Amino acid sequence: MEQKFITLFKEAIDSENDQISMDTRFRELDEWDSLAALSIIAMLDEEYDIIIDGNKFQKLETLSEILNYISENK
Amino acid sequence: MNKEYNPFSLEGKTILVTGASSGIGKSIAIECSKMKAKLCVIGRDIVRLNETLSELEGEGHRALQFDINENEKIKSFISELPELNGVVHAAGIIKRLPLKFISKEDFNEILDTNLVSASQVTRELHKQKKLKTGSSIVFISSIASDFASIGNIMYMASKGAVNSFSKGIAFEFAKSNIRSNVIQPGMVVTNLTKVINDKEIEEDIKRYPLGRYGTTQEIAYAAIYLLSDASAWVTGSKIVVDGGITLR
Ligand SMILES: NC(=O)c1ccc[n+]([C@@H]2O[C@H](COP(=O)([O-])OP(=O)(O)OC[C@H]3O[C@@H](n4cnc5c(N)ncnc54)[C@H](OP(=O)(O)O)[C@@H]3O)[C@@H](O)[C@H]2O)c1
């Protein structure tokens, strides 16, 4: 579950960064920008059927928090 | 002079506004009613549409619930309408996606609502001779047709197409003395802009030379000009109303 999520996360933002883990504060990544944010939101919709609005997404900080959001809103 | 001088009056004109249940379309309907037009307001959400109706000044307005994407019903829907002097196509949707997530279905949904359905409404109005000579058609396009923002590809393309479509019919309808023009608003906070988060909005406002976003009324005033006889010699044009953002 976690490994798959990390892979999808990296694919969505076109990153090959091996340091990305569930604890990564993704907003601090060099590759993070507004396109990356939209890409993650789109990936959550496509892969997990989760529609999250920009303001809610803004509050999430780590990959774990995103995954928690997914399980809470499934 | 016993009548007050007002080259922008819409007295005696009947005007159809799509997307009148919210935001810019709603404001256009309300401001046009203050200029003494009779309105036919269209939207999908009947509760919000009736709110618009209740805010119109004067008598004789009509609210009609209609989804402009229901192509097979357009013909009969248009046949119910009175003769018109103006149409404002304000119905529109947005969806922000990076290209790699854009499916054909996503793209079709945006193009259908923002472009193709407006074209079919216009076509039926023309075919059924609902547009009186001297009529004015107004499309609410966007500065997004010419200026990129992240994730906005489908919306940008739809608005670029609207600009070209308007020019096409301006040319085709000129001999019937029917005009077509486009308004390109910059950012105005409405239901549509909910796709953008508050933090992004806060940053974006700072980029506007006039220091703020626009109001729906400020877009409506441009529509009044284009619907009135003051613009009788204006067709195929695009009016930018954007607080100066495209100066950058
Ligand atoms: N807000 C901005 O910053 C901005 C800037 C540039 C251009 N624009 C353009 O201005 C127009 C109005 O947008 P807005 O900001 O006022 O958005 P809004 O508040 O979301 O209003 C959109 C309107 O379109 C209607 N609509 C959407 N799909 C429809 C359909 N299939 N059939 C019938 N009606 C439909 C909605 O009706 P229901 O709510 O009843 O479904 C609503 O009345 C759009 O074309 C938009 O692209 C907006």
Side-chain angles (χ1 to χ4, degrees), chain B residues 19-25 42-45 48 66-69 89-93 113-114 140-143 155 159 185-193:
Chain B
S21 49
S22 176
I24 292 172
I42 301 182
R44 291 175 299 188
D45 185 311
R48 283 190 278 106
F66 188 62
D67 182 333
I68 57 169
N69 290 339
H89 295 283
I93 54 170
T113 308
N114 293 1
I140 309 302
S141 176
S142 169
I143 55 169
Y155 184 79
K159 294 302 187 181
M187 274 283 279
V188 174
V189 174
T190 64
N191 283 334
L192 187 104
T193 57

